[in-house]
Amino acid sequence: MLQKIKELVEIETKIRDISKKSRLPDIVDARVMYYYLAKKYTEFSYQRIARQVNRDHATALHGMKSYNNWNFASLQYRKQLTKLHSIEQLVPEIKEEDIQPSDFHDLFRARNIALNSQVTSLLAQIEEKDAEIKRLSSWRTV
């Protein structure tokens, strides 16, 4: 399960390997996402979670503190939180099923198709409401 969460984070953040030794902000943020998701959706210890990305338990604990800062300063970390929440929607799906890493792309593709159909539906509703507003505004009384 930890490996699947790691791969989901890497796909969504477009980072090839979050376990490589780097302090670049994008990679650090991706690891924070991984720590949060791994702790929330698994029963593993910080030591086991951190070992998956070649870190120690103290780094995972620090990452969780960083996540708490994201919630505290949500405007500043909006981009990271948006990515995190989009990944978080997929974690229960991979937890329930035995999805292989090669299937992640199909999972993301299916999610994007579903979201596109929702967007199309919402845009149609907006157009209908705009037409209704125009029609009702012509009925104004003096």
Side-chain angles (χ1 to χ4, degrees), residues 13-137:
T13 58
K14 297 176 179 67
I15 294 174
R16 186 166 295 175
D17 184 15
I18 64 172
S19 61
K20 70 180 180 179
K21 194 168 182 82
S22 174
R23 290 186 182 176
L24 292 172
D26 290 343
I27 296 173
V28 171
D29 291 344
R31 282 195 294 261
V32 169
M33 291 177 206
Y34 163 76
Y35 298 140
Y36 168 76
L37 294 170
K39 195 61 182 168
K40 182 173 180 179
Y41 291 101
T42 68
E43 302 279 327
F44 295 121
S45 66
Y46 283 112
Q47 182 178 6
R48 175 100 184 265
I49 291 169
R51 196 177 331 135
Q52 186 71 32
V53 288
N54 300 324
R55 299 293 180 276
D56 62 16
H57 72 283
T59 306
L61 282 168
H62 179 71
M64 291 300 288
K65 288 179 185 176
S66 296
Y67 169 75
N68 292 332
N69 291 340
W70 288 6
N71 284 327
F72 183 72
S74 59
L75 291 176
Q76 181 181 354
Y77 294 102
R78 183 179 304 156
K79 183 175 116 181
Q80 290 90 332
L81 287 169
T82 301
K83 283 183 183 179
L84 175 64
H85 294 306
S86 68
I87 297 168
E88 192 169 11
Q89 292 173 353
L90 294 173
V91 172
E93 292 180 41
I94 67 164
K95 191 174 188 178
E96 293 172 5
E97 302 172 18
D98 187 28
I99 295 178
Q100 299 302 315
S102 60
D103 297 333
F104 286 156
H105 293 288
D106 293 333
L107 188 62
F108 274 95
R109 190 175 305 119
R111 184 187 71 168
N112 286 340
I113 290 169
L115 289 174
N116 284 336
S117 69
Q118 287 177 348
V119 166
T120 303
S121 172
L122 290 172
L123 287 173
Q125 289 177 9
I126 289 172
E127 288 177 11
E128 289 175 13
K129 297 295 181 187
D130 282 344
E132 187 177 346
I133 289 170
K134 286 179 184 176
R135 183 181 62 80
L136 291 173
S137 65

